[in-house]
Amino acid sequence: MKLAFIGGGNMAHAMLGGMKASGSDNVVHVLEPDADRRAELASEFGLAAHAEPGDWLRDAAVVLLAVKPQQAQQAVNAAVPYLTRPMVISIVAGVQGQTLARWLGHQRIVRAMPNTPALIRAGITGAVALADVSADDRAEADRILRSIGQVLWLERESLLDPVTAISGSGPAYVFYFIEALQQAGRDLGFSDKQARQLAVETFSGAASLARLSSEPVHVLRERVTSKGGTTAAALAHLESSQVRARIIEAVRAACARAEEMGRQFDIDETQGG
């Protein structure tokens, strides 16, 4: 199926990179207003990059909506006159399926939330299919999304906001933690390069161990934590500062924001805002 992207920003670039690495060559068009970005996408991925919607959209069997939430309604409204009821895969955070359906005039929509490790085909995407999505549509959406990593299909759209908070925003939490480890390394006498290597490889190795092990994560943690040892001292400090609780609260804040965005876009659209 021919695939068109509406939006060529960071996540679109990550997905296009992952799809290219997987050998997928069905992306033929991208809509991107920024001229420099258009030139970059056309050169890197060998596709046709357009400044405005037009008849070229009529050939798209699948449209992937990859714009910022505040740009979504304008982008869809501009594209709708040229669409021939394609399946739409939306990776727009917070914009609910019922809102997208009103803009598009149908529910042949898959809402998905990938994350930026899609660039190296190591992403995880939460996805949900709306009412008009057929079994073949879902299979095609799954094929597209699996080209950039794993896919977790959900039965309820309401779970996409938690997905956004955990895995969609999650890489930023990981990078935040790595930054802290790097800073600690520099403070303790390592060079920038050494501190980065220690922090990144430790995080990567621990995550790989958690993924490959059949044991619960808390068991893996306990095995590193000798009573009265260095790890115990560090974890005691984290617990005394309630770091675990703060992390959980941070994820809840992200989820609440995603829910708030969805409600606000729905209100703005119904009120003509």
Side-chain angles (χ1 to χ4, degrees):
M1 291 186 177
K2 291 185 178 180
L3 172 62
F5 272 68
I6 296 180
N10 291 335
M11 181 53 74
H13 186 273
M15 293 189 70
L16 286 165
M19 294 173 73
K20 180 179 180 180
S22 72
S24 177
D25 60 357
N26 61 338
V27 183
V28 292
H29 295 286
V30 63
L31 173 62
E32 170 54 49
D34 183 83
D36 291 339
R37 189 67 164 178
R38 283 199 307 276
E40 177 187 351
L41 294 170
S43 174
E44 185 171 355
F45 300 113
L47 46 75
H50 307 268
E52 297 179 352
D55 287 337
W56 55 269
L57 275 168
R58 300 187 191 280
D59 293 334
V62 181
V63 169
L64 203 147
L65 184 63
V67 297
K68 294 179 180 179
Q70 61 269 27
Q71 299 170 336
Q73 184 175 7
Q74 181 179 358
V76 172
N77 287 347
V80 159
Y82 305 99
L83 298 179
T84 55
R85 205 175 179 274
M87 176 172 63
V88 174
I89 301 174
S90 171
I91 63 169
V92 181
V95 180
Q96 298 173 2
Q98 63 180 1
T99 304
L100 291 167
R102 280 198 296 270
W103 297 346
L104 291 162
H106 64 81
Q107 293 193 54
R108 195 181 173 203
I109 300 166
V110 170
R111 279 197 65 201
M113 180 47 58
N115 59 7
T116 52
L119 181 59
I120 57 170
R121 300 183 64 197
I124 176 69
T125 299
V128 64
L130 271 62
D132 292 350
V133 175
S134 68
D136 287 345
D137 286 339
R138 175 165 161 155
E140 177 65 10
D142 188 78
R143 188 190 67 79
I144 291 168
L145 296 171
R146 284 193 187 278
S147 70
I148 56 171
Q150 298 183 48
V151 181
L152 176 63
W153 284 95
L154 308 168
E155 296 302 318
R156 292 184 286 117
E157 186 182 357
S158 60
L159 289 173
L160 273 182
D161 290 329
V163 165
T164 301
I166 294 172
S167 59
S169 299
Y173 314 153
V174 173
F175 299 145
Y176 186 86
F177 195 90
I178 290 174
E179 285 181 279
L181 285 180
Q182 283 184 253
Q183 183 62 55
R186 288 191 293 267
D187 292 347
L188 292 171
F190 294 105
S191 68
D192 286 348
K193 183 178 180 180
Q194 290 171 328
R196 177 187 171 93
Q197 183 178 6
L198 285 169
V200 171
E201 293 305 321
T202 297
F203 210 106
S204 175
S208 294
L209 179 59
R211 182 178 67 250
L212 296 173
S213 176
S214 61
E215 295 182 306
V217 174
H218 75 86
V219 172
L220 299 177
R221 171 180 54 78
E222 290 165 358
R223 285 186 176 166
V224 187
T225 312
S226 301
K227 186 175 180 180
T230 58
T231 307
L235 293 178
H237 185 78
L238 293 175
E239 285 298 301
S240 69
S241 300
Q242 297 185 308
V243 171
R244 181 195 297 261
R246 299 290 86 80
I247 292 172
I248 294 170
E249 289 175 5
V251 173
R252 289 185 178 275
C255 184
R257 177 56 181 152
E259 293 170 349
E260 179 185 30
M261 288 167 61
R263 289 192 298 270
Q264 187 59 54
F265 288 123
D266 193 43
I267 291 170
D268 289 347
E269 193 273 335
T270 55
Q271 293 181 350

